[in-house]
Amino acid sequence: MTSNDEQVTSNEDRRLAAKRKLEARLAAERDRKRRSRNIVISIVSVIALATALTIVWVTQNFLGTVTCEWGKAQDTLADTVKNRANIVGQQPPERRAEANKYLDELAAALPKERTAPQPTSNVPLPFPGSSERFIKTGSWFASAQRPLTLETNRGNLPITLDSTSAPCNTAAIESLAKNGYYNGVDCHRLTNSENLKVLQCGDPTGTLLGSPGWTSPDEPPTDLKKAPGSQDSMMGAGPVIYPRGTVAIANSNRPMMGRANTGGAQFFIVYADSQLSPDFAIVGHLDEGGFKVLDQIAKTPVEKGQGGNEDKPKDPITIKNAAVG
């Protein structure tokens, strides 16, 4: 027979064993629930990530990019020189000597002509609905603004490129700078008329006819103020104010003749508010730190240059290097 002590001990062991089994079963149940919860969280996370990536992909490929149609440059410096006989022949006899001299000047500048690779056609577009205006880079988004520094022999001109108004033309300027197109090139034009005060750069030939071998599409600004007293007419929109510091693309459009999309590598920096037709794509603005240099440049006297350039700076204004970023 067992003693009472042995019976009590046996009952205690059974209770402890039962307690341990219960605790083990509860722990196993908790582990099972935790694993189930983790599986659900993982599945939801994967679905959320896949959804987010799908939204990003759709946004980038359908809302976040624009297809730029680069054109073939026409009436280039080479075209004009090649067409000498026809150009001279169309002039009255008393002006043919002048026409020949003009074409001699163009021919002399032809060896300075440069070409550059055509930019990509799939260009980032400002992210719709974002107050911070993001654009696509790679798989994600970055700011629509990028720094461009023009290191000149007169000092640096820091520029902020901005894709908001003209994504194609901004991408073109960035591509040209990265390919070294502007390095060692003189700014060929400095105007100082009552309504037009700009420094124009980007033509290695200095003739106003230089081209990288392609043209960019028109992306006219839509938010510039009308010039005082101006109004639209049947000839087109009246002049607007391009504010001091604006960086815009020069072109040779002739709307009445159907000539359009003629921008390219040439750009101008406005050193004082200027009046122009609203036809010049805005690609950025000069940073505050560059105005002192620009104002000094604006004092440079001008002379007649090659071809039809009447506003060539007498003292060279040379872009030694153009760097993005």
Side-chain angles (χ1 to χ4, degrees):
M1 294 179 65
T2 60
S3 67
N4 289 335
D5 290 344
E6 290 175 340
Q7 185 176 2
V8 170
T9 301
S10 178
N11 289 338
E12 183 66 23
D13 289 342
R14 285 195 291 272
R15 283 195 296 273
L16 290 173
K19 182 180 179 182
R20 285 194 292 271
K21 288 181 180 179
L22 177 61
E23 289 174 345
R25 188 167 64 249
L26 292 174
E29 181 67 17
R30 287 195 297 272
D31 287 342
R32 184 187 66 78
K33 290 180 178 180
R34 184 167 55 251
R35 287 195 297 272
S36 298
R37 185 170 61 252
N38 289 341
I39 290 172
V40 171
I41 292 173
S42 297
I43 292 173
V44 171
S45 298
V46 169
I47 293 173
L49 179 60
T51 301
L53 290 174
T54 299
I55 292 172
V56 169
W57 182 85
V58 169
T59 300
Q60 291 176 348
N61 289 276
F62 294 96
L63 298 176
T65 60
V66 61
T67 300
C68 300
E69 296 184 2
W70 311 110
K72 184 181 183 301
Q74 299 178 356
D75 299 333
T76 63
L77 177 60
D79 293 335
T80 305
V81 172
K82 193 178 298 184
N83 199 31
R84 173 191 283 265
N86 186 45
I87 294 173
V88 174
Q90 290 179 349
Q91 303 301 315
E94 66 274 14
R95 296 197 61 183
R96 288 177 184 171
E98 181 183 351
N100 268 309
K101 180 182 177 182
Y102 168 74
L103 287 157
D104 285 342
E105 292 175 350
L106 296 185
L110 192 55
K112 299 179 183 178
E113 184 78 284
R114 295 184 182 184
T115 58
Q118 186 170 288
T120 178
S121 293
N122 188 29
V123 171
L125 188 68
F127 187 63
S130 170
S131 60
E132 297 187 18
R133 300 177 299 190
F134 291 111
I135 60 173
K136 187 190 77 163
T137 57
S139 298
W140 301 98
F141 297 95
S143 173
Q145 298 183 342
R146 283 94 68 208
L148 167 67
T149 301
L150 301 181
E151 179 188 348
T152 82
N153 62 330
R154 307 289 190 89
N156 287 354
L157 294 173
I159 291 168
T160 296
L161 296 176
D162 193 333
S163 298
T164 305
S165 175
C168 293
N169 283 273
T170 307
I173 290 293
E174 185 174 359
S175 176
L176 287 161
K178 288 180 176 178
N179 280 285
Y181 184 86
Y182 297 120
N183 296 348
V185 173
D186 290 345
C187 292
H188 56 284
R189 189 179 182 214
L190 181 63
T191 67
N192 190 28
S193 65
E194 181 180 355
N195 293 324
L196 184 62
K197 301 180 185 296
V198 305
L199 171 68
Q200 190 165 325
C201 311
D203 178 3
T205 72
T207 63
L208 305 177
L209 296 176
S211 163
W214 42 266
T215 59
S216 53
D218 290 336
E219 294 175 303
T222 58
D223 57 352
L224 297 180
K225 294 181 180 179
K226 289 281 189 182
S230 68
Q231 58 183 4
D232 296 346
S233 68
M234 295 181 63
M235 301 288 288
V240 296
I241 300 297
Y242 282 72
R244 169 173 161 85
T246 299
V247 182
I249 300 299
N251 65 54
S252 57
N253 288 357
R254 298 190 191 106
M256 296 299 293
M257 299 176 63
R259 181 181 170 92
N261 305 312
T262 61
Q266 295 188 48
F267 62 92
F268 59 87
I269 305 173
V270 181
Y271 66 85
D273 289 1
S274 297
Q275 296 185 22
L276 288 162
S277 61
D279 299 318
F280 302 93
I282 294 177
V283 296
H285 61 269
L286 184 70
D287 296 344
E288 191 62 36
F291 281 110
K292 184 177 180 180
V293 173
L294 182 63
D295 290 340
Q296 283 299 118
I297 288 174
K299 298 176 183 178
T300 305
V302 299
E303 62 186 358
K304 187 179 185 303
Q306 291 174 303
N309 186 5
E310 299 288 339
D311 301 301
K312 176 188 175 184
K314 282 187 176 181
D315 300 317
I317 303 162
T318 307
I319 299 174
K320 298 192 292 186
N321 184 62
V324 178

